[in-house]
């Protein structure tokens, strides 16, 4: 037993803390590397899932806003309908269609530019506007 005991004591004297740490260092580094890769993978997957939820919410909001936009376009078209505008003018604003000769449209010709424009501007009789009276075909309404 003394041989075994002497061998154990020889091994104890040759084994140091630095030697043990040196043997464990590759295993610890490998474990740390795998842990870091695992944490990075899990966090990236969590971010992808979160982005998917955000995208789904934004698409749902887009659909709601598109429906609202369509509804507002329909409402605008309804409000701008000529029949509705005429009814509102008659009932709420007490307006009526003008009589046959009440509408007069004046269209003045634009004066020409250049040297000849001054000669035309001097003669007021030459600038008489054309007069057009607008009648209504269905004036009996």
């Amino acid at each position: 037993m003394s041989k075994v005991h002497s061998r154990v004591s020889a091994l104890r004297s040759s084994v140091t803390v630095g030697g043990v740490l040196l043997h464990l260092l590759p295993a610890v580094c490998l474990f740390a590397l795998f842990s870091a890769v695992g944490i990075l993978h899990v966090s990236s997957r969590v971010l992808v899932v979160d982005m998917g939820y955000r995208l789904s919410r934004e698409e749902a909001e887009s659909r709601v806003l598109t429906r609202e936009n369509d509804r507002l376009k329909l409402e605008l078209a309804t409000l701008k309908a000529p029949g509705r505008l005429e009814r509102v003018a008659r009932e709420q604003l007490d307006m009526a269609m003008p009589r046959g000769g009440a509408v007069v449209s004046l269209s003045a010709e634009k004066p020409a530019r250049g040297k000849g424009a001054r000669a035309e501007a001097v003669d007021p009789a030459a600038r008489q506007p054309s007069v057009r009276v607008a009648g209504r075909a269905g004036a009996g309404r």
Side-chain angles (χ1 to χ4, degrees), residues 46-64:
V46 167
L47 289 175
V48 167
V49 169
D50 183 52
M51 194 58 65
Y53 284 133
R54 287 184 189 177
L55 181 63
S56 177
R57 280 194 303 267
E58 295 300 324
E59 285 176 346
E61 184 179 354
S62 173
R63 285 190 298 271
V64 167

Side-chain angles (χ1 to χ4, degrees), residues 24-36:
L24 289 177
L25 184 65
V28 169
C29 287
L30 193 60
F31 177 74
L33 179 67
F34 283 145
S35 297

Side-chain angles (χ1 to χ4, degrees), residues 75-131:
E75 183 178 347
L76 179 65
T78 303
L79 292 174
K80 288 172 68 175
R84 182 194 165 277
L85 291 176
E86 185 176 351
R87 183 174 40 84
V88 167
R90 287 181 191 275
E91 294 173 1
Q92 294 178 2
L93 302 176
D94 294 326
M95 297 175 91
M97 290 300 294
R99 302 287 177 235
V103 178
V104 177
S105 173
L106 301 176
S107 61
E109 296 176 7
K110 292 183 180 179
R113 293 187 176 209
K115 294 179 183 176
R118 289 186 181 155
E120 289 180 32
V122 173
D123 186 15
R127 287 189 27 206
Q128 297 230 349
S130 61
V131 176

Side-chain angles (χ1 to χ4, degrees), residues 65-81:
L65 291 175
T66 301
R67 279 194 298 256
E68 179 73 12
N69 190 22
D70 291 342
R71 186 187 66 77
L72 290 173
K73 283 180 181 178
L74 178 64
E75 183 178 347
L76 179 65
T78 303
L79 292 174
K80 288 172 68 175

